[in-house]
Amino acid sequence: MSDYYTDAPLPLFATRAPSVNSSATSAAAADSLAPATLNAMQRRVYEFIKWRGAAGATDEEIQIEIQMPASTQRPRRVELARKGLIVESGTRRTTSGRMACIWRAV
């Protein structure tokens, strides 16, 4: 995957991970991520989706290809969607046969 990864900073990435209101453990987890680490994880998700082009990628595909746990990848994808960097682009079946959203870069 190094063939599509660049070190150039992307705009709009958060400097702190979001957390669940009134959850001390969620806040602690968010605070434990340095801005550079958060940005790097968001970049990995974004760059993979961008690399997939019009085909886009489901959460499962992203998790498998960039070897990122679901509990780490999914929040990064949500952050990218909230910033308008990626959008839903249809659905396709997962390995379990369920339908999942396809995400593509804007």
Side-chain angles (χ1 to χ4, degrees):
M1 295 208 322
S2 60
D3 57 330
Y4 64 86
Y5 182 81
T6 64
D7 289 327
L10 286 174
L12 304 176
F13 282 1
T15 56
R16 182 185 184 274
S19 61
V20 175
N21 290 339
S22 71
S23 171
T25 55
S26 180
D31 291 339
S32 73
L33 285 175
T37 302
L38 176 61
N39 196 343
M41 289 188 296
Q42 289 171 337
R43 172 179 298 287
R44 285 180 61 206
V45 173
Y46 176 77
E47 291 291 340
F48 179 73
I49 294 169
K50 184 177 173 186
W51 178 74
R52 291 290 299 258
T58 65
D59 283 338
E60 180 183 64
E61 292 165 345
I62 298 165
Q63 293 156 16
I64 290 168
E65 292 298 319
I66 69 172
Q67 299 179 348
M68 184 179 284
S71 61
T72 301
Q73 176 273 328
R74 198 170 296 111
R76 306 300 73 89
R77 190 259 303 147
V78 168
E79 293 159 3
L80 295 171
R82 286 182 178 159
K83 294 292 185 179
L85 295 171
I86 62 172
V87 294
E88 284 187 52
S89 179
T91 59
R92 107 171 117 241
R93 294 201 184 279
T94 64
T95 55
S96 68
R98 293 189 173 97
M99 298 304 287
C101 291
I102 299 168
W103 298 93
R104 68 171 177 78
V106 179

